[in-house]
Amino acid sequence: MLGGGPQAVALAPGLKPVVVLLAGLIVLVAMPPQPALAHTASDTLLPYIVGVLGSIDLITLAVALVALTILAWALFATRRLERALDRERRRRSEIEAQLNESEALLTAEPHLLFIWRGRSDVVERVVGDMRGTCTCPADRNGQAWFPGWLEPESVATLEAALRDLKLRGTAFNIGVKTLAGELLEADGRAAGGLATLRLRPLAGERREVTKLAHESRKLSRQVERLTAILDNAPLPIWLRDANHRIIWANQAYVHAVEAEGITAVVRDHIELVPPEQPQSDALRARVQLMPTVTSERHRRHTVINGNKRALDIVSVRLAEGEAGFALDVTAMEELEKELRRHVRAHASTLDKLATAIAIFGADQRLRFSNAAFAELWGLDPEWLAQAPSDGEVLDKLRAMRMLPEQANYREWRARHLEVYKAVDTREDWWHLPDGRTLRVIAEQHPFGGVTYLYENITEQIRLESQYNELIGVQRETLDNLKEALALFGSDGRMKLFNPAYAALWGLDHDFLASEPHVDVVFSACRQILPDDLMWDEIKYAITSIDDGRRPFQGRIERPDRRIYDFALVPLPDGNTLLTYTDVTDSTRIERALRERAEALETADRLKTDFLSNVSYELRTPLTNIIGFADSLSLGLAGDLSLKQREYIQDILASSADLLSIIDAILDLTTIDAGAMELRFTEMDIADLLTEAAGMLQSRIEKRNLTLQVEIPEEGGTLVADRKRMLQVLFNLLSNAVGFSEDNSTIRMGARNEGDTVVLWVSDLGKGMDQEFQKAAFERFRARPGVSGHRGPGLGLSLVKSFVELHEGRVTLRSRLGQGTTVVCRLPARGPGSAAQSTPEVPERLRKAQVR
C-alpha cells in the first residue's frame, strides 16, 4: 500500500526498484540542465542507471512508464488550469469595470432606487440621491421608511402597489407626493428575483400628466369612500335626475321600500313616499344652503316594514336634479305628543294647588295661571284667558287696591318688571292694604319668561308672633339663672343661650344671637379651653342622628383655674341642652392632690432625662478609657508588670460593666421617647437559643455552672428583632448566673403553644420574696447576687420593655431558696398576628412599634 498516513504499510519488495527508478527519473526530469556538471553527471549516473535497469524486470519497467505518463498528464492539467484561472481573473476585472460604469450612469440623475429580494419587506439596497430636488431624509433608513416623508394617501397607494409587485410581479407607474407637497414619479419593476422601485422628480408636461393622474386617483378614492358611507348610512338616501326620476339609492332606501335591489328601485321607480301624498305647509321649512343650492324639509307619514313611521323628507336642489334623504322622527313625534299630555297634566295639577302661580312668556304676556291665582286677586278668568301683559295685570291690581302702597308706583312697577332681565331668583314680601302678607317669588322659566309664586303667609306670621312671645318669656327666665346653658337644634345651630353661657366662654352676645353653628361656637371656645377630644365628643352628641342618644356628664378645668361640671341632655324634639355648673370650690382638695401627683411625675421625668443625658455624656469618656486600656494591655505603651496587667484587666471589666449599664439606660430612654426601631426577621428558635448561650459561655465556665438548653423537637421559627431577643435572653441568663451558686444548673428553653412561642430561663439560686417580686420589673430595683455584687437593676426592666414591644408578656415565678423562673410569651408570626389575649401595651411603648 502506497498511503502516507499513519496506517501505511511497507512497500512490497518487488516494487522497491521501480519506485527508486521512478524517483530517479523524476529528479532527472525536474532538474534543469547544468552544463558545467553535464559531463560529471553522465559519467556517474549513467552506469548506475544502466545497472539498475539491468537489475529490474519488464513489469517493473512498465509500472515506471505508467507513473511517468501520469506525472506528465498531471503537469499538463496543472498548466491548463493556471491558464483558465488567468482568463477568469481578467473576466472579473472587466465585470467590475462594467459594474462601476453602470453605477455611475445610475447616479447621473436625481432619483432613488430601492431593491428588495424576493417577497422580503426589508430593503436590500438603496441607490441614488435626490440632490435637493425634493424634501426627503438624508440617511438610507429614513428614505426606506416611506411614512416618514410621503403623505399618508401616497404611502397607502405605494405599499399596495409594492405588494402586488412582490407577489405577482405587476409593474406600476404612479405619482406620489411628499409631506411637503412635492410630486414624484414612482416606477416599480420586477427583475428576476428582485423587486425595484425608482422614485424621481418630475418636470414639464410629464409632471402635469402625473399630477392629473394623482389628483384623479385621489378624487376616485374620495368618491369611493363617500359612496360607501352613503350606501351604508342608516337613513334612506337617493338621487334624482332632471326629470325627478330616481337614478341611485342606498341600501337603507332599498330595505325601506322592500325592493330586491337598487336595480329594481331604478327600473320600477319605487318611491319611499307616494308623490300624491299631500304636503303639510305647517311642517314645511326652506333653508338656503348655498347661493345656488337650496334645501326643503317637510314631514311625511308612510308605512315601512308594516309599521307607520313619521319621516322628515329633506330635498337638496342640485344643478341637474336633486338629492334627498329621510329622517325617521317617529320617536320625536311621540315625545312631542307625550310632552303635550304632560303639559296638560301639570296644568291640571297646578290648578289644584293652594299657592297662586302665574307664568309669563318672554314677551311678558300671561301664558298660564292656576285657579288659586284668580281667586287670590279676584280676577276674571275670561280676562286672564286673553293673555294680558305683566304690566297690565299690575295696573289692574293697583286699580283694585290689591298692591302694596307705594310712594312712586311707576318706579316700583319698572323695578318689578326688571325680573325678566335678571338671572337669579327674586323674593319679595308684599303687605297688602287688607292686612294680608304675601311672599312673592319670581323665577326665570326654562323656556323664557318668568314664573310667579304668591304664597299667603299671614297665618304663619301670626303663629311666629305667638312663638316669639313664648320664647321671650323663656329667655327672661333663662337669663336669670346662674347656671350657664345653651340649646342646640337638630341642625347643629344654637337656638337658646343665657348671659351666664356667654360670660363663661367670653363670647359676644350678638355673635351667639346669630344662631352660629356648633363648629363655629366650639372653635371660639377652643381659644379658652383647647381640649379637642372633649369638644369633638360634645359635637358628635349634638349633631348625631342616632335614635339611641344618651345623656352624659363631664368635668372641665379652664386655664383660669375655674372648674365646671357639664351635662349634655338630648331632648325629645331633637334639640340638645348643654349646661355648665361652677364646682371650683368643691374640687380644691382634688386639685391639690393632682398637683402633687404631677410634681411626682415631673420628678420622675427629670430623673429619666438626667440619666439619659448623663449616660450620653459618660459614653464618650468611657469609650476613650476602654480604648486606652486595650492599648496598654496590648503593650503599645511599653511592657507592663504582672500587677499592672491585673489592674488593666480590672479596668476593662469594670468599663464593660459600666458600658452595659449605659447602653441599658439609653435603650430605656429610647423606648420612653417612642424612637425604638425594631427590625423583624424570621429566625430559627434553636439558633437563637444557641447563640444566646454562647454569649455567656466564659462566665458559665468560670463559675463551673451547667447550662441546659431545651429545644423543642419540632423546631420552629419566630418573627422578631433578633438583636433585641438576644438582649432579652442575655439579661435573663446574666441574672441567672449572678444569682446561682457555683456548680449549680441553669435551664433555658423554648416551646410552641399554638401561635405563641414561649421562652424561659430558670435558675436554682436564692430566689425572691413576694414583696420584691412585685417591683422586680421596675427600674433600678436590684438586689445583691451570690458574690455580693449588686447590679443597676435594669435587666428585667429592659426584658419587659422589649417583650411588650413585640406584643408579648413576661411573667416571673420565684421562691426563697428555690430559684427563679422568668417566662416570655411572644407571637410566633410577629406583632399583630397572635390570637391570644395579651395585656394592653403601655402608652410609652405604643409609638415604638411602627417599625
Side-chain angles (χ1 to χ4, degrees), residues 696-706 733-746 765 785-789:
L696 290 169
Q697 183 176 1
S698 59
R699 291 177 58 184
I700 293 173
E701 293 176 352
K702 184 177 180 180
R703 298 279 305 280
N704 198 21
L705 300 174
T706 301
L733 286 176
S734 297
N735 285 344
V737 172
F739 293 100
S740 295
E741 299 288 343
D742 293 345
N743 303 317
S744 62
T745 300
I746 299 173
V786 175
S787 61
H789 173 70

Side-chain angles (χ1 to χ4, degrees), residues 258-468:
E258 300 181 7
E260 296 180 357
I262 182 61
T263 305
V265 171
V266 174
R267 182 187 66 239
D268 301 335
H269 305 291
I270 302 176
E271 297 287 346
L272 177 64
V273 178
E276 64 274 12
Q277 185 171 350
Q279 300 181 4
S280 175
D281 294 336
L283 297 177
R284 184 182 300 272
R286 191 175 291 272
V287 181
Q288 184 73 23
L289 298 179
M290 295 174 57
T292 58
V293 180
T294 59
S295 69
E296 186 179 87
R297 180 168 181 166
H298 51 273
R299 180 73 55 83
R300 295 289 187 87
H301 293 82
T302 186
V303 177
I304 298 177
N305 296 328
N307 298 318
K308 185 177 181 180
R309 314 298 294 179
L311 303 177
D312 273 2
I313 305 299
V314 180
S315 300
V316 180
R317 304 289 182 180
L318 303 177
E320 296 180 357
E322 67 176 17
F325 60 91
L327 298 174
D328 192 340
V329 293
T330 307
M332 185 175 67
E333 191 174 73
E334 294 295 331
L335 289 176
E336 290 174 351
K337 295 178 182 179
E338 184 69 18
L339 179 60
R340 288 193 290 270
R341 288 194 294 268
H342 278 289
V343 170
R344 289 193 295 269
H346 287 167
S348 177
T349 302
L350 294 177
D351 269 338
K352 296 180 176 61
L353 294 179
T355 302
I357 299 174
I359 301 177
F360 291 84
D363 57 355
Q364 300 187 13
R365 305 197 71 84
L366 183 65
R367 299 291 181 84
F368 170 82
S369 63
N370 63 351
F373 179 80
E375 182 180 355
L376 174 66
W377 302 114
L379 298 175
D380 185 7
E382 294 182 359
W383 181 76
L384 294 175
Q386 297 175 7
S389 66
D390 195 354
E392 292 173 351
V393 173
L394 291 176
D395 293 341
K396 189 174 184 62
L397 293 178
R398 181 173 181 269
M400 297 170 59
R401 291 184 53 81
M402 301 293 289
L403 290 180
E405 296 294 341
Q406 302 293 334
N408 189 340
Y409 170 72
R410 291 184 178 277
E411 182 181 348
W412 178 86
R413 180 179 181 273
R415 187 169 59 252
H416 178 79
L417 294 178
E418 289 178 355
V419 69
Y420 289 92
K421 301 178 182 179
V423 177
D424 299 330
T425 301
R426 179 184 293 181
E427 184 176 359
D428 292 326
W429 281 264
W430 289 2
H431 301 283
L432 305 183
D434 59 2
R436 292 182 298 174
T437 301
L438 301 182
R439 180 168 173 255
V440 182
I441 299 176
E443 185 179 20
Q444 295 292 324
H445 196 274
F447 300 113
V450 176
T451 300
Y452 289 102
L453 284 80
Y454 303 89
E455 184 180 0
N456 190 348
I457 58 174
T458 306
E459 185 66 19
Q460 180 181 350
I461 292 177
R462 187 183 66 81
L463 293 176
E464 286 182 357
S465 178
Q466 295 178 357
Y467 174 77
N468 292 334

Side-chain angles (χ1 to χ4, degrees), residues 116-144:
W116 292 268
R117 184 170 297 278
R119 299 181 179 180
S120 174
D121 293 332
V122 180
V123 177
E124 182 174 298
R125 191 175 183 187
V126 180
V127 182
D129 187 0
M130 284 296 184
R131 299 184 180 179
T133 56
C134 71
T135 304
C136 69
D139 60 297
R140 296 305 189 188
N141 292 331
Q143 293 170 353

Side-chain angles (χ1 to χ4, degrees), residues 608-797:
T608 302
D609 294 341
F610 171 76
L611 290 175
S612 176
N613 293 332
V614 169
S615 299
Y616 276 111
E617 294 299 330
L618 289 178
R619 189 178 183 90
T620 299
L622 181 60
T623 304
N624 295 334
I625 293 173
I626 294 174
F628 286 124
D630 284 334
S631 299
L632 293 174
S633 176
L634 294 174
L636 298 180
D639 295 335
L640 301 177
S641 63
L642 182 59
K643 197 65 175 178
Q644 290 174 336
R645 289 187 177 277
E646 291 179 359
Y647 290 160
I648 291 297
Q649 294 302 321
D650 291 340
I651 291 173
L652 289 174
S654 300
S655 299
D657 293 338
L658 181 57
L659 183 60
S660 64
I661 295 172
I662 293 174
D663 289 340
I665 294 174
L666 292 178
D667 286 341
L668 290 173
T669 304
T670 303
I671 293 173
D672 292 340
M676 176 63 69
E677 295 186 1
L678 299 180
R679 292 177 174 83
F680 294 97
T681 58
E682 187 173 4
M683 64 193 76
D684 187 76
I685 297 176
D687 295 342
L688 178 66
L689 297 178
T690 303
E691 186 175 352
M695 297 169 65
L696 290 169
Q697 183 176 1
S698 59
R699 291 177 58 184
I700 293 173
E701 293 176 352
K702 184 177 180 180
R703 298 279 305 280
N704 198 21
L705 300 174
T706 301
L707 176 60
Q708 295 181 356
V709 180
E710 301 180 9
I711 300 175
E713 295 181 358
E714 66 276 11
T717 59
L718 173 64
V719 176
D721 189 315
R722 187 178 189 88
K723 176 182 176 181
R724 301 308 176 187
M725 286 295 100
L726 289 174
Q727 197 169 349
V728 166
L729 295 176
F730 178 81
N731 288 339
L732 295 180
L733 286 176
S734 297
N735 285 344
V737 172
F739 293 100
S740 295
E741 299 288 343
D742 293 345
N743 303 317
S744 62
T745 300
I746 299 173
R747 297 173 59 248
M748 177 177 65
R751 65 175 179 271
N752 295 314
E753 294 183 357
D755 294 333
T756 303
V757 174
V758 180
L759 305 176
W760 77 88
V761 176
S762 176
D763 64 72
L764 300 177
K766 62 181 183 179
M768 308 177 188
D769 55 25
Q770 292 296 328
E771 293 298 326
F772 190 84
Q773 290 183 35
K774 297 178 182 179
F777 291 102
E778 296 181 3
R779 300 177 186 181
F780 304 105
R781 292 284 185 173
R783 56 197 180 95
V786 175
S787 61
H789 173 70
R790 182 186 182 95
L794 298 175
L796 290 179
S797 179

Side-chain angles (χ1 to χ4, degrees), residues 20-33 45 68 71:
V20 173
L21 178 60
L22 182 60
L25 292 175
I26 292 173
V27 170
L28 290 176
V29 173
M31 182 180 297
L45 291 178
L68 288 175
L71 180 60

Side-chain angles (χ1 to χ4, degrees), residues 91-359:
R91 178 62 177 167
R92 185 183 67 179
S93 299
E94 293 173 357
I95 293 174
E96 289 179 352
Q98 293 176 359
L99 180 60
N100 292 333
E101 184 177 353
S102 299
E103 289 186 354
L105 292 175
L106 286 175
T107 57
E109 61 176 341
H111 76 288
L112 288 176
L113 179 63
F114 302 88
I115 301 174
W116 292 268
R117 184 170 297 278
R119 299 181 179 180
S120 174
D121 293 332
V122 180
V123 177
E124 182 174 298
R125 191 175 183 187
V126 180
V127 182
D129 187 0
M130 284 296 184
R131 299 184 180 179
T133 56
C134 71
T135 304
C136 69
D139 60 297
R140 296 305 189 188
N141 292 331
Q143 293 170 353
W145 190 60
F146 300 129
W149 61 289
L150 296 180
E151 64 176 10
E153 184 176 1
S154 296
V155 172
T157 304
L158 183 60
E159 289 180 349
L162 286 174
R163 281 195 297 270
D164 291 341
L165 176 64
K166 294 176 183 179
L167 294 176
R168 291 181 287 273
T170 304
F172 62 89
N173 186 279
I174 58 176
V176 296
K177 277 189 176 181
T178 65
L179 294 175
E182 300 152 335
L183 187 63
L184 303 177
E185 180 187 28
D187 186 81
R189 295 288 184 271
L194 301 178
T196 64
L197 169 65
R198 175 177 292 180
L199 298 178
R200 54 187 175 186
L202 295 171
E205 183 178 353
R206 189 172 182 181
R207 171 185 173 85
E208 294 301 325
V209 172
T210 305
K211 181 178 180 180
L212 290 175
H214 177 76
E215 296 297 333
S216 175
R217 185 177 72 250
K218 190 174 181 179
L219 290 175
S220 176
R221 287 191 175 183
Q222 290 181 355
V223 170
E224 291 178 1
R225 288 194 290 265
L226 290 175
T227 303
I229 292 173
L230 294 176
D231 198 39
N232 292 279
L235 64 157
I237 304 174
W238 60 89
L239 292 176
R240 298 180 185 273
D241 58 11
N243 298 322
H244 300 284
R245 291 179 298 186
I246 293 180
I247 60 175
W248 179 85
N250 66 349
Q251 293 298 320
Y253 187 99
V254 174
H255 178 72
V257 299
E258 300 181 7
E260 296 180 357
I262 182 61
T263 305
V265 171
V266 174
R267 182 187 66 239
D268 301 335
H269 305 291
I270 302 176
E271 297 287 346
L272 177 64
V273 178
E276 64 274 12
Q277 185 171 350
Q279 300 181 4
S280 175
D281 294 336
L283 297 177
R284 184 182 300 272
R286 191 175 291 272
V287 181
Q288 184 73 23
L289 298 179
M290 295 174 57
T292 58
V293 180
T294 59
S295 69
E296 186 179 87
R297 180 168 181 166
H298 51 273
R299 180 73 55 83
R300 295 289 187 87
H301 293 82
T302 186
V303 177
I304 298 177
N305 296 328
N307 298 318
K308 185 177 181 180
R309 314 298 294 179
L311 303 177
D312 273 2
I313 305 299
V314 180
S315 300
V316 180
R317 304 289 182 180
L318 303 177
E320 296 180 357
E322 67 176 17
F325 60 91
L327 298 174
D328 192 340
V329 293
T330 307
M332 185 175 67
E333 191 174 73
E334 294 295 331
L335 289 176
E336 290 174 351
K337 295 178 182 179
E338 184 69 18
L339 179 60
R340 288 193 290 270
R341 288 194 294 268
H342 278 289
V343 170
R344 289 193 295 269
H346 287 167
S348 177
T349 302
L350 294 177
D351 269 338
K352 296 180 176 61
L353 294 179
T355 302
I357 299 174
I359 301 177

